[in-house]
Amino acid sequence: MSVLILHTSTPNRKPHFARARQHGERLLLIVNGPTWEPEFVDRVVDAETSSIAETVAAARELAASESEPIEAVVSFVEHSVPAAAAVAAALDLPFISEQTAHIARNKFEMRTAFARHGSVPGPGFGLAHTLDEARQLGSDIGYPLVMKPLIGGGSMYVRRVNSAAELDEHFDMIRGGAWDGFDYDPLHQADRAKYGAALLLEGYVEGSEVSVESVVRDGETQVVAIHDKPLPMQGPFFQEVFFRTPSQLSPEIQDRIVELTAHAHEALGIRTAVTHTEFRIPANGEPVILETAARLGGLQVYTSVLTSTGVDMVDVILDVALNREPHLKGTGAARPTAFFGFFAEKAGVITAIHGVEEARATEGVVEVEVYKSVGDTVQESSHVGQAHGHVLFTADDPASLDARFNELRAMLRIDVAAQ
C-alpha cells in the first residue's frame, strides 16, 4: 500500500516525514528540488510543483509506473493542498474537493463563503484593485484596516493601517509583495488573472488570538487542541511568535470556538480533513474567525500537539486519508506546552547567534532549532514567512509557561551586520 505526499520544501516538516516513515505504508513524494526529503520516503519525483497541471501529470505517470496502488494523497504544507486535491480527483482518491481546496487557500473567497454561510462571525471586508477602491473600503468599513494577500501565507505582506494617510503610504508596496512574493504558489497565475492583483482589506479585530487543530470526518468536527497566542498582535505586522496550550480561555469561550470551527468547516465544504483555524477573541468574548486551512498548522504546531496531548497528528492525517479511525485519545500524560520563534531584529548578514546551548540546557526545554547560520543573509522579520529558529518547551502548569518563555526569549539573540 502506498501513500503519495505532495510537498513544498520546508525545513520544519522533517518531524512530519520522520513520523510518516514509521506509519507503515510505502511513501511516494512529489516535490520540486528535493533536498533532505529522500531519506524519509521510498521514491521521489522531482516535478514543477508550482504548476498544478504538471503535478497532476507527474502523479499520473508515477501511479502508472508503480507495482502497487496509491491509496491516499496527503500534504503537510498549505501551498500543496490545491495540487493534492487535483491529484486526488485525477487518481480517484479521497480528499477535499478542488473547489474547497481553492476556497481554503484564497482568503477573499474564504471570507465570502463565511459571510454566505451566516454562522461564522467575521469583520467587514472587500477587494481593492486600486488605491481609490482601497480608500472607499476604508470609508465603508472604517479604520483600522488590515491589508492581506489573497493567496499568502506565514503572515507575509499582512499590514495594519490606522488611517487614510497610512493606507496611501503602504498600499502599493503591500499589493506588490502580495503577488510578486508568492509567484511560486500553484494558484498564483490563475488567481492573479482572475482578481487583477487586488488586495483583500478587512476591518481590524481587536483582541487576543488563538489557533485550533481539528479533525473532520464525514462532516463531524473534533477539536484536538487550542493554542493561545498570548503576545499582543496589534500590528502593523503580525508575526506569529508565541503559542501555548492548553488554552487558558474560559470553558464557555472554548466551547464557542469549537462550535464556530465546525460552522467554518461547513461553510468551506470541508467534510474529511485535518484543519487549522484561527480566531480573534475581542473583549466581549465572541470569537471572530480569521481563516481556516485544510491542513495541520505550521511552525511547531505538530510537535506541540504531540507533546501536550499525546495525539500524533501525522498519524491522524494518514489514518484519515486511508479511511481508518484515527487515534485521538493520546498516549502518556498531557503536559502544558509552548513554543516560540525567534528572529533577527533587522535585515543584514548574521555575525553571531547567542544563547542556543544555554536554552537547550534549561529545564523543560524539548527542542531548540536554528534555521540560519553565521554568514547567512536575513530579511527583516516583517518580510519572512517563518522565524529564524524556534524553542519548544513545557512547564508543570499552564500558568508557568509565560515566565519560562520570557526567560528563554532573553537568552537568544541573533547579531546582524548591515550589508
Side-chain angles (χ1 to χ4, degrees):
M1 180 183 296
S2 297
V3 172
L4 174 58
I5 303 173
L6 298 187
H7 188 58
T8 303
S9 190
T10 307
N12 62 19
R13 296 304 190 273
K14 284 186 182 181
H16 302 60
F17 274 75
R19 182 58 195 173
R21 172 77 287 172
Q22 299 172 13
H23 199 259
E25 294 76 31
R26 175 175 166 80
L27 297 182
L28 313 175
L29 172 67
I30 297 178
V31 66
N32 182 226
T35 53
W36 52 266
E37 297 93 350
E39 68 176 289
F40 298 105
V41 300
D42 297 287
R43 186 175 176 186
V44 180
V45 174
D46 187 347
E48 183 49 73
T49 52
S50 63
S51 165
I52 291 178
E54 291 188 36
T55 304
V56 170
R60 287 186 184 276
E61 185 176 343
L62 175 61
S65 68
E66 279 286 301
S67 60
E68 56 183 84
I70 298 173
E71 299 288 346
V73 59
V74 300
S75 175
F76 304 131
V77 293
E78 183 170 17
H79 298 298
S80 295
V81 170
V87 167
L91 300 184
D92 195 24
L93 298 173
F95 204 76
I96 59 172
S97 71
E98 293 178 82
Q99 180 183 18
T100 291
H102 186 271
I103 295 172
R105 286 282 291 113
N106 183 297
K107 299 182 194 306
F108 172 69
E109 294 187 10
M110 184 187 304
R111 277 276 173 232
T112 302
F114 289 154
R116 186 181 298 121
H117 186 271
S119 298
V120 189
F125 69 97
L127 281 183
H129 302 81
T130 65
L131 180 56
D132 284 344
E133 289 181 354
R135 288 170 176 161
Q136 185 60 55
L137 283 171
S139 177
D140 294 343
I141 298 171
Y143 292 93
L145 285 175
V146 178
M147 300 186 288
K148 290 184 175 182
L150 271 65
I151 57 168
S155 299
M156 293 177 65
Y157 300 104
V158 177
R159 184 182 181 110
R160 169 179 166 166
V161 290
N162 298 317
S163 63
E166 288 189 6
L167 180 68
D168 290 357
E169 179 181 358
H170 299 293
F171 179 80
D172 286 337
M173 189 278 288
I174 295 295
R175 189 181 65 156
W179 291 101
D180 296 342
F182 299 102
D183 59 357
Y184 58 87
D185 192 290
L187 299 179
H188 177 269
Q189 186 174 357
D191 279 23
R192 184 165 191 161
K194 180 177 181 179
Y195 290 104
L199 268 182
L200 173 63
L201 271 62
E202 298 177 351
Y204 172 75
V205 180
E206 191 74 55
S208 61
E209 197 165 307
V210 301
S211 68
V212 186
E213 311 310 314
S214 305
V215 181
V216 192
R217 296 193 75 219
D218 298 325
E220 295 295 322
T221 294
Q222 183 166 349
V223 170
V224 179
I226 299 175
H227 284 84
D228 297 334
K229 303 177 189 178
L231 292 186
M233 298 175 67
Q234 299 173 331
F237 301 105
F238 297 92
Q239 293 84 16
E240 296 181 300
V241 175
F242 178 32
F243 291 61
R244 70 180 182 207
T245 189
S247 175
Q248 297 183 39
L249 294 170
S250 71
E252 293 77 17
I253 293 177
Q254 292 188 53
D255 287 345
R256 182 63 171 149
I257 287 170
V258 171
E259 178 185 2
L260 291 175
T261 299
H263 287 324
H265 296 152
E266 294 167 3
L268 302 187
I270 298 174
R271 293 192 53 79
T272 300
V274 168
T275 69
H276 172 78
T277 305
E278 297 179 343
F279 292 92
R280 280 272 170 136
I281 315 297
N284 65 6
E286 174 64 10
V288 176
I289 198 163
L290 298 180
E291 59 186 58
T292 293
R295 45 84 186 170
L296 178 64
L299 303 172
Q300 281 60 59
V301 165
Y302 165 60
T303 314
S304 180
V305 173
L306 179 60
T307 303
S308 61
T309 70
V311 175
D312 193 306
M313 293 299 286
V314 169
D315 284 352
V316 172
I317 290 169
L318 292 167
D319 288 338
V320 168
L322 291 163
N323 198 28
R324 299 172 182 166
E325 186 73 31
H327 299 286
L328 298 176
K329 292 186 178 179
T331 59
R335 289 187 289 170
T337 303
F339 65 88
F340 70 94
F342 55 94
F343 298 80
E345 293 186 359
K346 60 182 179 180
V349 177
I350 295 177
T351 58
I353 302 173
H354 303 277
V356 173
E357 294 308 318
E358 183 182 1
R360 285 181 176 142
T362 299
E363 181 184 359
V365 169
V366 177
E367 63 183 27
V368 181
E369 296 290 342
V370 183
Y371 316 140
K372 298 293 184 179
S373 303
V374 172
D376 286 348
T377 299
V378 293
Q379 295 178 291
E380 62 180 285
S381 60
S382 61
H383 292 102
V384 298
Q386 67 174 21
H388 300 136
H390 77 264
V391 181
L392 187 139
F393 59 96
T394 65
D396 292 334
D397 58 85
S400 300
L401 290 170
D402 289 4
R404 185 152 293 168
F405 162 70
N406 290 327
E407 176 189 2
L408 289 163
R409 194 184 195 191
M411 292 179 190
L412 294 153
R413 189 178 81 252
I414 300 176
D415 292 343
V416 173
Q419 289 181 288

